Amino acid sequence: MAQAPEFKYAPMFQVGEDTTEYYHLTSEHVSLGNFEGKEILKVTPEALTMLIERAFTDVNFMLRRSHNECVAKILKDPEASDNDKYVALTMLRNAEISAKGILPICQDTGLTVVFMEIGQEVHFVGGDLYEAVNAGIADGYVGGYLRKSSVDDPLFVRKNTGDNTPAIIHTTIVPGEQVKITVSPKGCGSENMGALKMLKPADGVEGVIKFVV
């Protein structure tokens, strides 16, 4: 009988090297502790709220240095047309205006989506993880002049939440004592224009047509 191969876990979505330029926000609201002789990271809700608010503000108002440098190269590209250079210059001017923190790069938005990789050696102290994340999003959208598009129940009497919450939050438990947070301020498009329908094989093509119509 053939021997089964040794099991080896691999993440479903694997990404390349992270070349992001990070900066130090604060040393407050995080500390080290000990549990059964092992060092753990203790994180307060204030840390998450502050981090999420800054992340949504940065992603809506600033572009990465590497991105702007790529756009700037068009201005010196001998094969670029005058129209190419005009568009590139306009994009750089827009980036400069947006970086002042008043007019975001794009007012359009959708549902906010947050992906969290939480280390097994991380302990959240004194609060609710999801409440802290949504509080940070609300701070970013209300204070960041961003258009809010999420609507709230009750059904048929729905209204704009005014702060683009609640967010869609995906959490994954991973080894280690770090928390990695990836935010997307423009996920899913307009919440009011989306719908999900579970169909059975027996519904066939007619079932798909009926749902779309």
Side-chain angles (χ1 to χ4, degrees):
M1 180 180 292
Q3 187 176 1
E6 181 182 356
F7 172 76
K8 185 177 180 181
Y9 170 76
M12 180 178 295
F13 302 106
Q14 302 183 36
V15 297
E17 180 185 1
D18 185 4
T19 58
T20 305
E21 292 184 51
Y22 293 100
Y23 64 88
H24 181 237
L25 181 58
T26 180
S27 297
E28 297 180 358
H29 311 302
V30 293
S31 60
L32 296 177
N34 189 281
F35 177 71
E36 295 188 348
K38 195 166 188 177
E39 190 176 77
I40 62 172
L41 176 67
K42 298 194 295 184
V43 181
T44 68
E46 291 81 3
L48 286 179
T49 299
M50 181 186 301
L51 185 63
I52 293 290
E53 184 276 332
R54 182 59 63 87
F56 272 91
T57 300
D58 285 358
V59 77
N60 276 289
F61 286 95
M62 292 187 286
L63 296 171
R64 293 188 180 188
R65 183 198 310 271
S66 57
H67 172 86
N68 288 330
E69 288 175 347
C70 286
V71 176
K73 288 180 180 179
I74 299 175
L75 301 177
K76 298 180 179 181
D77 186 350
E79 297 184 3
S81 66
D82 290 341
N83 186 66
D84 293 336
K85 295 179 180 179
Y86 173 76
V87 172
L89 181 60
T90 301
M91 292 175 65
L92 292 172
R93 286 173 173 168
N94 285 342
E96 180 185 13
I97 293 170
S98 177
K100 298 182 185 300
I102 298 176
L103 298 174
I105 295 170
C106 178
Q107 275 291 106
D108 192 24
T109 184
L111 290 178
T112 55
V113 185
V114 178
F115 300 88
M116 302 185 68
E117 295 183 11
I118 304 173
Q120 293 172 327
E121 316 303 332
V122 176
H123 178 62
F124 290 99
V125 183
D128 185 289
L129 168 66
Y130 297 105
E131 182 178 351
V133 171
N134 278 290
I137 293 169
D139 290 347
Y141 272 79
V142 174
Y145 311 103
L146 304 173
R147 186 171 71 84
K148 297 82 179 174
S149 62
S150 291
V151 292
D152 196 8
D153 286 330
L155 192 62
F156 305 125
V157 194
R158 310 195 77 185
K159 63 178 182 180
N160 195 301
T161 62
D163 54 25
N164 226 49
T165 65
I168 300 172
I169 304 175
H170 300 271
T171 56
T172 305
I173 304 300
V174 298
E177 55 180 22
Q178 293 184 336
V179 179
K180 181 179 179 181
I181 302 175
T182 304
V183 300
S184 172
K186 305 177 187 299
C188 302
S190 175
E191 190 258 5
N192 289 309
M193 298 173 63
L196 176 67
K197 173 71 173 179
M198 302 300 291
L199 297 172
K200 304 183 296 295
D203 293 325
V205 176
E206 289 301 319
V208 177
I209 295 174
K210 182 178 179 181
F211 170 63
V212 173
V213 172

